[in-house]
Amino acid sequence: MVIVTRSQTGRTPKKPEHPGFVDLSTPARKRRSVTPRVKKEPLSDSDSEMSMTTATGRGTNGSTTAAPTSNGRAAHEKIVPSKPSKLGENYKVDASGEKEFGGALGTGLVMCGFPLMMWWMWVGHVYYNSQLPLPGRNDDIAEFLQDLVAKAQECATPNLRAWVVYWGFLAYQSLLYVTLPGVWTKGNPMAHRGNLRLDYYCNAVWSFYVTIATVAALHVSGVFHITELVDNFGAYLSVSIFSGIAVSFIAYFSALWRGAQHRMTGSFVYDFFMGAELNPRIFGIMDMKMFFEVRLPWFLLFFISVSAAVKQYETYGYVTPQVCFFLLAHWLYTNACCKGEELITTTFDMSHEKWGFMLIFWNMAGVPFTYCNGVLYLVRNAPSVYNWSVAYNASIFILLLTAYYIFDTCNSQKNRFRQAEKGTLIVRKTFPQLPWQTLKNPTFIRCKNGGTLLTSGWYGLARKVHYTADFCQMSSWGLICGFGSPIAWFLPVFFITMILHRAWRDTERCAKKYGADWDEYKRQVPYLFIPYVF
């Protein structure tokens, strides 16, 4: 395994000579290759994408690798050049005329509406007992809105400490990114850059546990009491919103100033939402999309749950099973993003999505400060409000763990297949390693355009089974809270809307890309979300 530490070099890790190559051969263990049950032909990336909620691959402890050549690629691999779709000779311009999310109007409404909705839900937690702030039948709408704004200002005004803690956390994660040990891997070929495959440095799993130790030390020493995250949640919420907006502007105009824009439509609102630059990087090794995909959103979400647990213990002398559930759920998801970080590099988010408001705001504010609504509801209400039976609690824990197993293994199967066919599979022993994470002798459809569509494992049962597993996890986050607060159910409702749109988006794109091969894929795998049902 290719591992680089600062202690070995005395400086920031540098990529090895063959960053995608992992030589596992030993005299006692013969190197094996993933041998699909079809004749060997040029392989390219499968087009199935990961869940947007995390957009990450899972576990990487498979023992199966493609037999590499001296340059680190599989002996049978051949990158099939492809032209940028409808971009013309100038990849900086998107002349397709196609716009997603309702074009400028839809994206504009999202950019204006989502931050307001985040403040609105927090006002609901603080002043409406975790109910939705809505005007009464006889209320004057203008007066109601004025009161709503006044309450938001009162409970969510940012302060200097919140700014320092939020950006200090971001700076600390940057430091860990360039100093802790990790592995190098490669992304997908980029047609507009001569099929160049960028190198990615991955050490989120180290960063996560070093951060846990750091936060624990700060809490015990009294420098930063972890309960501050829930006690002053409104201030941190506003800091995250303003920071996400500010970074979006910096990223957009910086790309234009440097001439780094990609697939621009000419509509400022739409391009600002989607982003201008495809692969922004700083410090040589820090890929901004990769960095913001895992560390800031999921680490913060986990620590908000830790904050709620400590707050509950200090208040009542114990932690309820429901808050323990969120600790487990948020740890599972965060750890999964970290342990399989090297598999993110071939996902749709990395290879296609640009770094704009959609990704920036969602990672800096949306994920950490809206996915926590369930645990906020629990910590802000007495345990007697949600004192469920042992049987009910146990059933929700079982639902979570079952859904997580499918989520982890199906994403691992897909992404290990992707890397194995390219000869860039990296073998790691990050915890936890689960049965059936690696497919042996997988079957797939070889497409006329050189691509492959996996038809083995979980993806032989349903084309979007990872979305189903994701939704079941998110639903369990709502079920553990009961039905006393609609705000606690924001995530499951939002998520089902998002994955339905994402599934439609991916299906349309794949149908155009693969043509008749996609029809054959649907024939072989007829179910979309639930095997033998739907």
Side-chain angles (χ1 to χ4, degrees):
M1 186 187 306
V2 181
I3 300 181
V4 188
T5 65
R6 184 178 178 87
S7 61
Q8 292 169 332
T9 63
R11 57 187 183 276
T12 298
K14 294 183 179 180
K15 66 182 181 182
E17 182 178 359
H18 303 297
F21 175 74
V22 181
D23 190 352
L24 300 176
S25 59
T26 64
R29 181 178 176 183
K30 184 178 179 181
R31 189 167 43 203
R32 301 174 59 193
S33 61
V34 174
T35 309
R37 287 177 241 164
V38 293
K39 65 180 182 179
K40 291 184 178 181
E41 297 176 12
L43 300 179
S44 72
D45 189 31
S46 171
D47 214 52
S48 295
E49 61 187 74
M50 300 190 62
S51 166
M52 186 176 181
T53 309
T54 176
T56 58
R58 301 296 169 251
T60 54
N61 190 28
S63 60
T64 305
T65 64
T69 61
S70 60
N71 67 354
R73 290 183 179 172
H76 58 267
E77 181 198 5
K78 178 181 178 183
I79 300 299
V80 180
S82 60
K83 297 180 180 179
S85 176
K86 297 184 180 180
L87 295 183
E89 297 181 358
N90 183 5
Y91 64 85
K92 294 185 177 183
V93 177
D94 184 353
S96 67
E98 299 174 357
K99 291 184 174 69
E100 301 178 272
F101 306 107
L105 177 61
T107 54
L109 290 174
V110 169
M111 288 189 287
C112 294
F114 207 89
L116 295 176
M117 184 178 68
M118 293 172 68
W119 279 311
W120 179 64
M121 289 191 295
W122 177 237
V123 169
H125 277 302
V126 176
Y127 297 101
Y128 292 82
N129 194 29
S130 297
Q131 303 301 308
L132 297 176
L134 297 172
R137 181 172 300 179
N138 299 319
D139 288 350
D140 179 80
I141 299 299
E143 291 181 359
F144 170 78
L145 293 176
Q146 289 177 353
D147 180 64
L148 200 63
V149 171
K151 288 176 177 175
Q153 291 175 334
E154 182 178 358
C155 71
T157 298
N159 53 51
L160 179 60
R161 181 171 176 82
W163 283 103
V164 171
V165 171
Y166 183 89
W167 280 94
F169 180 81
L170 184 61
Y172 185 57
Q173 294 308 311
S174 301
L175 178 64
L176 297 183
Y177 188 102
V178 299
T179 56
L180 293 179
V183 298
W184 285 94
T185 189
K186 285 185 175 290
N188 282 336
M190 296 185 294
H192 70 283
R193 296 179 64 179
N195 285 324
L196 171 70
R197 296 173 66 188
L198 295 177
D199 299 309
Y200 291 87
Y201 187 64
C202 306
N203 66 355
V205 69
W206 276 94
S207 297
F208 183 40
Y209 290 101
V210 169
T211 303
I212 290 176
T214 303
V215 171
L218 292 174
H219 175 78
V220 172
S221 66
V223 175
F224 177 78
H225 205 271
I226 189 64
T227 56
E228 183 176 320
L229 292 179
V230 293
D231 289 337
N232 299 303
F233 182 85
Y236 288 103
L237 170 69
S238 295
V239 166
S240 73
I241 290 173
F242 292 133
S243 297
I245 294 171
V247 172
S248 297
F249 274 100
I250 293 171
Y252 181 82
F253 287 106
S254 170
L256 296 184
W257 180 67
R258 291 179 288 108
Q261 62 267 36
H262 185 80
R263 299 197 321 266
M264 304 294 281
T265 66
S267 168
F268 169 75
V269 173
Y270 182 78
D271 288 336
F272 182 79
F273 179 82
M274 300 299 293
E277 190 169 2
L278 184 60
N279 301 112
R281 294 190 163 202
I282 58 175
F283 304 142
I285 66 171
M286 183 182 290
D287 184 274
M288 301 304 287
K289 286 198 297 184
M290 276 281 289
F291 178 76
F292 280 86
E293 187 87 10
V294 175
R295 288 161 173 80
L296 194 60
W298 296 106
F299 287 17
L300 280 176
L301 179 65
F302 172 73
F303 286 120
I304 290 172
S305 292
V306 173
S307 176
V310 175
K311 180 69 175 180
Q312 195 173 67
Y313 182 81
E314 291 180 350
T315 304
Y316 300 104
Y318 65 94
V319 182
T320 62
Q322 292 78 18
V323 171
C324 289
F325 173 91
F326 274 105
L327 274 176
L328 173 62
H330 291 168
W331 173 79
L332 282 172
Y333 218 108
T334 305
N335 184 73
C337 293
C338 294
K339 72 167 185 160
E341 184 189 23
E342 72 281 357
L343 299 177
I344 299 175
T345 61
T346 57
T347 61
F348 187 75
D349 281 1
M350 292 297 109
S351 61
H352 182 79
E353 301 284 25
K354 296 178 292 180
W355 201 51
F357 182 94
M358 179 176 69
L359 293 185
I360 295 171
F361 185 87
W362 194 239
N363 287 325
M364 295 188 72
V367 170
F369 292 95
T370 62
Y371 284 22
C372 63
N373 275 309
V375 76
L376 288 178
Y377 165 70
L378 297 177
V379 77
R380 294 187 64 85
N381 286 272
S384 58
V385 174
Y386 46 87
N387 187 25
W388 318 133
S389 68
V390 173
Y392 181 84
N393 287 332
S395 66
I396 306 305
F397 272 89
I398 292 172
L399 172 62
L400 170 69
L401 294 174
T402 302
Y404 174 80
Y405 172 77
I406 299 173
F407 162 81
D408 188 306
T409 53
C410 72
N411 279 305
S412 178
Q413 288 176 5
K414 173 181 57 185
N415 287 284
R416 287 181 179 182
F417 170 75
R418 283 177 172 175
Q419 289 195 339
E421 67 176 356
K422 295 184 179 71
T424 59
L425 177 62
I426 297 176
V427 178
R428 305 177 74 185
K429 295 184 181 294
T430 45
F431 178 82
Q433 294 301 309
L434 302 174
W436 211 33
Q437 287 186 317
T438 302
L439 296 174
K440 297 181 179 180
N441 299 320
T443 60
F444 59 88
I445 298 172
R446 188 179 304 286
C447 304
K448 295 180 178 62
N449 67 356
T452 54
L453 294 168
L454 182 63
T455 57
S456 289
W458 289 111
Y459 290 96
L461 299 175
R463 303 191 300 274
K464 296 296 179 185
V465 66
H466 55 300
Y467 286 167
T468 304
D470 240 347
F471 176 67
C472 288
Q473 286 190 92
M474 301 302 122
S475 295
S476 72
W477 297 12
L479 289 169
I480 199 67
C481 296
F483 298 92
S485 168
I487 300 178
W489 278 86
F490 162 79
L491 179 57
V493 173
F494 168 80
F495 194 80
I496 189 63
T497 305
M498 183 270 293
I499 61 174
L500 288 174
H501 173 266
R502 183 88 173 197
W504 170 81
R505 183 187 186 198
D506 183 48
T507 299
E508 290 289 310
R509 181 171 55 87
C510 290
K512 293 178 182 178
K513 181 175 182 178
Y514 295 110
D517 291 318
W518 184 253
D519 294 332
E520 173 60 20
Y521 177 54
K522 291 194 294 182
R523 187 192 68 80
Q524 291 191 27
V525 187
Y527 301 101
L528 183 61
F529 291 117
I530 305 174
Y532 311 108
V533 177
F534 174 59

